[in-house]
Amino acid sequence: MHLTVVRGGGRMAADSTKERILDISLQLFSQYGFSAVSIRDICGQVHIKESSVYYHFTNKRAILEELGNRFEMIAGGLMQRLDDAVAQLQGEGGSGISGGAAAEVFFHDYLMDDFCNRYIRLLHMERSGSEAMRQAYDKWIFEEPLRFQERIFNALIEKKCIPAADGEYLALKYYAPIYLFFQRYLLGGELTEAKKKLFLEKAEEHITEFFKEMGGV
């Protein structure tokens, strides 16, 4: 099988063999699926011998685990940043993150980030055949975003920025179209600037209408 990758930016530097293995592996896994990619395919794209891979990783599964650990660290750090900002908003006289600012962080540093986007694509592809992948997808695409969004809506209600309502319901109502736009524009095919622009335009329209309907500030 001949596999090709679309080269682009990302968080992982390509100045070492290990980093190049991880970068190329994620590109291939996110395009073709974990099972369809072999160590030989990875070596062919990195331009190294198979023995060089085994110097850094015991097997293909170890590469996947390293990628998963990095994603968890990045995603967890992002959610912590957002939680810290909400805590500031909830404090006395707090002037923490706004709904729009939270969206900017979530969109640019997570859904449209090259590394995170590729790993989410991999989770999406593999979740039907792997319980661990399904749980990870649910956690980082549904559970954590909804938990944070419920928290920020409750904070906005407490600060009287929006009318009193059920925070959990608001989070669902707010996030459902965002996830739809993510599926449509960011989860299939090459992640282009044009697709990012469309996603942001649709998301901004939704957010504007959402808060207009809420009668919020």
Side-chain angles (χ1 to χ4, degrees):
M1 176 173 58
H2 177 65
L3 304 180
T4 57
V5 299
V6 178
R7 299 183 182 275
R11 291 178 180 270
M12 296 185 296
D15 59 354
S16 73
T17 301
K18 180 178 180 180
E19 296 303 320
R20 287 190 290 123
I21 291 169
L22 288 167
D23 189 32
I24 293 297
S25 295
L26 181 57
Q27 292 185 54
L28 292 174
F29 292 162
S30 65
Q31 289 178 49
Y32 302 102
F34 177 73
S35 299
V37 178
S38 68
I39 290 291
R40 181 175 295 181
D41 295 323
I42 296 167
C43 293
Q45 294 291 335
V46 183
H47 305 297
I48 58 173
K49 297 179 179 179
E50 289 190 36
S51 58
S52 297
V53 172
Y54 295 120
Y55 175 79
H56 298 284
F57 301 98
T58 55
N59 51 37
K60 190 175 67 166
R61 178 66 58 179
I63 298 175
L64 181 64
E65 290 174 356
E66 175 70 16
L67 290 168
N69 290 337
R70 292 191 179 201
F71 175 78
E72 292 263 340
M73 182 175 65
I74 293 168
L78 173 71
M79 292 303 170
Q80 187 60 56
R81 282 169 55 198
L82 294 173
D83 280 341
D84 290 345
V86 175
Q88 292 178 17
L89 177 63
Q90 291 173 319
E92 290 189 18
S95 58
I97 197 165
S98 68
E104 283 288 309
V105 172
F106 187 70
F107 296 161
H108 288 280
D109 295 350
Y110 189 56
L111 298 183
M112 296 192 301
D113 174 80
D114 285 344
F115 177 82
C116 289
N117 184 273
R118 287 182 182 131
Y119 194 80
I120 292 170
R121 288 174 182 234
L122 174 59
L123 291 177
H124 187 267
M125 293 174 66
E126 298 293 329
R127 61 184 178 153
S128 62
S130 167
E131 179 62 16
M133 290 293 207
R134 185 195 67 76
Q135 290 180 3
Y137 189 83
D138 283 353
K139 176 181 179 180
W140 294 112
I141 296 300
F142 298 120
E143 294 172 7
E144 286 295 317
L146 287 170
R147 177 196 60 77
F148 161 73
Q149 287 158 10
E150 180 180 354
R151 189 178 173 200
I152 196 171
F153 280 122
N154 285 334
L156 292 172
I157 291 167
E158 184 179 340
K159 291 289 182 180
K160 302 187 184 305
C161 295
I162 58 175
D166 181 83
E168 181 179 5
Y169 173 73
L170 290 181
L172 287 169
K173 185 177 180 181
Y174 173 88
Y175 188 56
I178 299 298
Y179 179 68
L180 183 151
F181 300 141
F182 171 67
Q183 286 263 7
R184 182 174 184 182
Y185 299 111
L186 305 181
L187 205 55
E190 184 181 353
L191 183 63
T192 63
E193 292 303 315
K195 287 183 178 179
K196 291 179 182 179
K197 182 180 178 182
L198 277 171
F199 168 78
L200 290 173
E201 288 175 352
K202 295 296 183 181
E204 184 178 353
E205 289 173 5
H206 161 63
I207 293 169
T208 300
E209 289 301 314
F210 177 87
F211 281 101
K212 186 185 297 183
E213 289 178 9
M214 283 293 299
V217 179

